[in-house]
Amino acid sequence: MQHDQARLALDAATRAARYLDPDHPVDGDDGTARAGAPPAFPSAEALAGLDQLPAELADEPVDPAAVLALLDTHGSPATARTNGGRYFGFVNGGTDPAGLGAAVLAAAWDQNAALPVMSPVAGHLDAVAARWITELLGLEGAEAAFCAGASVANLTAVCAARDALLERAGWSVADDGLVGAPPLHLVATAEVHVSVLKALRVAGLGTAGIVSVPTDGCGRLIATELPPLGPRSLVLTQAGNVNTGHSDPFEPIIAAAREAGAWVHVDGAFGLWAAAAPERRHLVAGVEGADSWATDGHKWLNTPYDCGIALCARSDDLRRSMATDAAYLAHDGARAAMHLGVQMSQRARGVETWAVLASRGRRGIADLVETTCRRATDLAERLDAAGVEILAPVVLNQALAHLDDDATTDAVLAAVQADGTIWAGGTTWQGRRAIRLSVSDGATTEADIAVAADTIVRSWRRVRNERRHA
């Protein structure tokens, strides 16, 4: 059995290496082999190949090697190439080489990171990686916990905030639930991300009572528009607007919250990492004064999926909501991942994160953030020079492009996506349609940016020409 596993692992590694090799020939739309960078999004032919993957469960066992070959043959061509330097959609980071290697090794280890006794190496690296993250983000002393993504991190932090605020009001959610609990006062930026709204729903707080605070032209909360706050106020802010990359002004928001005894949470799925780059740190000034934060490793840090991080300024607040007990569980007082998040059994996310951080170091992480920011600025400047309207100043890794009018913008976006050379998504920003460009992959080069700009401008000219001759 172990021999078969080792053989299959080597086969998988070989196939993975071939997939990642940019010079490996790939099938073109005409069925012939071609060399060069693979498309950022699969062709119609590649997508049709998915029909070759069995959709009905077999009655009898199938050779695992045959299953792997089938998966590679028809699955690999149908992937979105998020780690190829030319994928600019959804703030999907690529995969750092050290993180990829660690993921392969960790998969073979097959460790459950719930308790240190279940996996000493996972427990050790989880604790070290969590501490490194707090140091990089300027949140020393905070408790960090790995989870499935920023959505779960937001949920974790919202639950911690809910329980802490109600505890101060003399109500125990753990003992008494939420029925009859004193109401919380929810305050959120008008640009609050949908994952935070989902967290409020799942946490039983709902969204109907949210007081929405207006934002400026870049999507930043206007601090002077904050409503009166109190000791049961939960203020939901943002580091890195999902469209523009701009962050809320944390210093005046947190000062007002401190005076009122309110809780401030920061949704910083990608934008919080600006704190790790000295040249961008001013964009999130004062963020360290919040009570909780949520961020992703699988976005800007370029760890493999799924890797989110929930952080609380006070460890007791996190443990109040997440710790659990049972007779069969260890009680040695060691840091245990299952007491810091929603999950009990969980994969060893800290291993991959530790590998990325250990490989890059402080300067490497800062360079990752700074370089991708420069790439985004370069892309916006190239498009601007070609006459494309950029809807907000580029400060991090996000750029918004508007072409002539909403209909043209959507038509160009469709053309870019159909072309497949790059991939970007669409959005609506302050009533106008836009192409949303997220530079989150550390593998993106200046050449990739030039290709991206050329693809968008070329598609724009084609759309204009088609309309003139329609």
Side-chain angles (χ1 to χ4, degrees):
M1 177 66 176
Q2 289 182 335
H3 175 74
D4 291 341
Q5 284 185 322
R7 178 172 55 82
L8 200 65
L10 287 173
D11 186 14
T14 299
R15 293 177 182 276
R18 186 168 61 237
Y19 173 84
L20 293 169
D21 184 356
D23 296 322
H24 180 72
V26 295
D27 291 336
D29 289 336
D30 59 357
T32 60
R34 64 178 178 82
F41 198 80
S43 65
E45 178 186 8
L47 292 175
L50 292 174
D51 292 337
Q52 301 302 310
L53 297 173
E56 302 298 329
L57 185 62
D59 292 327
E60 302 297 330
V62 179
D63 179 8
V67 171
L68 182 62
L70 194 64
L71 185 62
D72 183 27
T73 300
H74 299 293
S76 292
T79 58
R81 293 268 179 168
T82 58
N83 56 354
R86 296 183 179 179
Y87 189 90
F88 304 101
F90 300 111
V91 203
N92 283 355
T95 303
D96 181 273
L100 173 61
V104 173
L105 186 58
W109 287 353
D110 188 29
Q111 300 292 283
N112 184 347
L115 293 168
V117 72
M118 292 179 175
S119 174
V121 65
H124 176 73
L125 295 180
D126 185 280
V128 173
R131 175 171 54 81
W132 284 353
I133 286 172
T134 63
E135 293 171 356
L136 283 168
L137 298 178
L139 306 177
E140 290 89 342
E143 183 77 85
F146 292 102
C147 54
S151 294
V152 180
N154 277 317
L155 172 61
T156 302
V158 164
C159 287
R162 175 199 66 191
D163 295 358
L165 290 172
L166 290 176
E167 179 85 6
R168 297 172 195 171
W171 184 276
S172 171
V173 174
D175 294 335
D176 303 316
L178 290 174
V179 177
L184 296 184
H185 177 219
L186 304 177
V187 178
T189 165
E191 286 290 325
V192 64
H193 191 266
V194 291
S195 66
V196 177
L197 299 178
K198 184 175 183 178
L200 292 172
R201 297 200 312 270
V202 176
L205 298 178
T207 59
I210 294 176
V211 176
S212 183
V213 184
T215 56
D216 63 16
C218 293
R220 298 169 296 208
L221 182 150
I222 301 173
T224 55
E225 296 292 329
L226 278 171
L229 303 176
R232 293 205 303 273
S233 295
L234 170 54
V235 185
L236 302 158
T237 64
Q238 191 172 70
N241 181 282
V242 71
N243 284 306
T244 69
H246 287 258
S247 297
D248 292 334
F250 297 111
E251 290 174 331
I253 295 170
I254 292 172
R258 286 288 159 270
E259 184 176 351
W263 181 293
V264 177
H265 171 65
V266 180
D267 170 28
F270 67 95
L272 193 59
W273 287 98
E279 295 182 40
R280 305 283 167 168
R281 193 172 294 150
H282 67 281
L283 297 171
V284 291
V287 74
E288 67 281 356
D291 299 281
S292 60
W293 309 263
T295 191
D296 262 330
H298 62 235
K299 285 188 170 65
W300 225 344
L301 192 57
N302 282 201
T303 66
Y305 281 89
D306 52 12
C307 180
I309 305 103
L311 303 103
C312 275
R314 296 164 295 277
S315 180
D316 288 348
D317 289 331
L318 189 58
R319 294 173 186 272
R320 178 190 296 110
S321 297
M322 299 298 154
T324 189
D325 197 9
Y328 66 91
L329 299 175
H331 300 278
D332 57 8
R335 181 184 190 275
M338 64 169 283
H339 295 317
L340 301 175
V342 176
Q343 290 178 266
M344 293 181 67
S345 294
Q346 55 192 278
R347 71 181 192 86
R349 299 178 180 92
V351 174
E352 298 155 5
T353 306
W354 177 90
V356 172
L357 297 176
S359 173
R360 287 188 175 269
R362 291 180 183 273
R363 188 172 67 183
I365 297 300
D367 286 346
L368 172 64
V369 172
E370 185 58 38
T371 299
T372 46
C373 288
R374 288 200 303 269
R375 299 276 188 265
T377 299
D378 181 17
L379 179 54
E381 289 176 347
R382 287 173 181 269
L383 292 174
D384 178 71
V388 176
E389 183 180 4
I390 303 302
L391 295 183
V394 177
V395 293
L396 286 180
N397 60 336
Q398 303 292 102
L400 292 175
H402 181 80
L403 302 104
D404 296 335
D405 51 45
D406 285 355
T408 301
T409 299
D410 283 342
V412 173
L413 175 62
V416 167
Q417 292 179 343
D419 180 272
T421 302
I422 69 166
W423 200 91
T427 189
T428 298
W429 176 247
Q430 298 188 342
R432 305 174 73 189
R433 292 293 294 163
I435 297 177
R436 178 171 170 263
L437 299 158
S438 303
V439 186
S440 309
D441 184 3
T444 300
T445 65
E446 291 183 14
D448 291 324
I449 293 299
V451 168
D454 177 71
T455 300
I456 293 170
V457 173
R458 177 165 37 86
S459 298
W460 184 25
R461 290 170 179 164
R462 185 165 66 248
V463 167
R464 278 180 159 181
N465 185 59
E466 290 171 352
R467 291 189 169 185
R468 278 197 299 267
H469 293 87

